Amino acid sequence: MLVFKKAIALQNHLKRVLPAGAAIGFVPTMGALHEGHLSLLTAAKNDTGFSVCSIFINPAQFNNPTDYARYPVQTASDIDKLERAGCDVLFLPPAAEMYSQTYTPPHYHLGVVETVLEGAFRPGHFQGVCQAVDRLLAVVSPTDLYMGQKDYQQCLVVKRLLQLTGRKALRFHMAPTQREKSGLAMSSRNLRLSGAEKETAAALFQTLQHIRQNFASTPRQLLEKEGMDFLKSCGFTPDYVAIANAATLAAPNSASEPLVALVAATLAGVRLIDNLILN
Ligand code: AMP
């Protein structure tokens, strides 16, 4: 695996080693890599034959400075994991390589998916995500982009970004959420939980499973309230438990629409999210 910190060096390398129009599978990350990230990389490599991963802890998407300051950095072990997973190229840009001094962030017209759920609790978050993803796509020019269902709303936002920026040919792949045996979705933030807290955190997945088992026969608001109460009883401070239309994230009108259940809650100062497709 080759590691590049400069965009121009990465682009020159890709031109040198790949024939024009060759497939490139791209996995953007913020590092502290786990099996969830590596599953995206394996899919990218298997589908396209050439995988590029990026690690960039994007300050623009953190609305909470403490969360940014505490975000885990494990570059040496990340490089080791990527090598072993067969990654071809790692892009590891410093912030100055991503955003020049004269960079003025554009405003992306993302619609309702920007402002509900995560967007309501993390104002500006998805604009920040789009700034980084837009820039990374411009540098890497992949044919295929891999993102995790774990960040379901982010997937919808990035699909919208691809439309807005005219990247019609870019194939978007949403890969399934990788979980611990307990059901807890793997996340870099789990590193900040103790063993006992990780066990407790499995309540997020239990909440989602309870919703999936009951959504056809139980009123939506009741299930959402039960979920909030259950998480509070486990020691979480929940932001939301929501059943939403899977395409728009709007509140649904019937159980026969495509539905997703989403949850966000803080445990021991660590904010976690998860979701489950219901039908
Ligand atoms: P992050 O480093 O948290 O920005 O995540 C980078 C990519 O990995 C995003 O597309 C995430 O959705 C994806 N990802 C994170 N956790 C998981 C997981 N448990 N399973 C599958 N994909 C994941």
Side-chain angles (χ1 to χ4, degrees):
M1 180 178 75
L2 290 181
V3 182
F4 294 94
K5 296 192 171 181
K6 295 260 180 222
I8 187 73
L10 170 86
Q11 288 168 327
N12 286 340
H13 175 73
L14 295 181
K15 267 192 220 135
R16 217 170 28 246
V17 298
L18 291 173
I24 300 176
F26 178 45
V27 181
T29 81
M30 297 203 297
L33 301 180
H34 49 65
E35 289 301 320
H37 297 114
L38 299 181
S39 73
L40 302 185
L41 198 88
T42 304
K45 177 85 181 177
N46 288 346
D47 291 354
T48 68
F50 194 93
S51 55
V52 178
C53 179
S54 65
I55 298 179
F56 176 61
I57 306 179
N58 173 30
Q61 74 186 67
F62 284 84
N63 53 314
N64 176 344
T66 318
D67 192 25
Y68 177 61
R70 283 198 204 149
Y71 204 83
V73 178
Q74 306 189 333
T75 311
S77 73
D78 285 348
I79 289 176
D80 193 46
K81 285 175 190 170
L82 289 171
E83 289 268 15
R84 278 187 278 131
C87 180
D88 293 293
V89 164
L90 170 61
F91 184 41
L92 192 63
E97 192 63 15
M98 286 291 286
Y99 305 119
S100 73
Q101 276 183 340
T102 54
Y103 173 78
T104 318
H107 183 81
Y108 300 95
H109 295 279
L110 301 170
V112 176
V113 287
E114 179 183 359
T115 50
V116 293
L117 303 171
E118 282 304 282
F121 284 91
R122 304 184 68 187
H125 169 66
F126 287 123
Q127 289 294 323
V129 168
C130 286
Q131 287 166 28
V133 173
D134 198 4
R135 169 78 179 132
L136 289 167
L137 293 177
V139 172
V140 178
S141 298
T143 54
D144 294 76
L145 174 62
Y146 295 80
M147 300 190 91
Q149 189 197 321
K150 151 93 182 355
D151 298 278
Y152 188 82
Q153 189 169 359
Q154 174 170 275
C155 287
L156 296 186
V157 162
V158 170
K159 279 192 203 171
R160 173 95 184 114
L161 173 73
L162 299 184
Q163 285 173 353
L164 284 175
T165 53
R167 292 181 170 104
K168 291 195 182 74
L170 179 53
R171 287 179 290 267
F172 183 90
H173 304 259
M174 184 170 81
T177 304
Q178 303 298 309
R179 300 180 178 282
E180 306 288 352
K181 279 203 185 71
S182 66
L184 174 64
M186 290 181 182
S187 165
S188 307
R189 289 191 168 83
N190 295 351
L191 289 168
R192 289 169 45 206
L193 297 173
S194 70
E197 286 160 354
K198 273 190 212 151
E199 290 304 311
T200 305
L204 293 172
F205 186 54
Q206 290 156 16
T207 304
L208 294 169
Q209 281 182 309
H210 177 76
I211 292 175
R212 187 157 66 181
Q213 277 151 17
N214 294 286
F215 79 95
S217 57
T218 313
R220 172 173 65 87
Q221 286 91 341
L222 179 58
L223 280 175
E224 291 172 347
K225 182 175 181 314
E226 279 176 3
M228 293 288 281
D229 291 345
F230 175 60
L231 290 174
K232 281 180 202 159
S233 74
C234 296
F236 285 88
T237 307
D239 283 345
Y240 57 82
V241 174
I243 301 172
N245 181 289
T248 63
L249 297 184
N253 296 311
S254 86
S256 59
E257 289 174 41
L259 296 176
V260 59
L262 308 104
V263 57
T266 299
L267 181 70
V270 182
R271 188 172 183 280
L272 302 170
I273 60 171
D274 199 357
N275 68 82
L276 210 53
I277 302 281
L278 299 183
N279 48 6

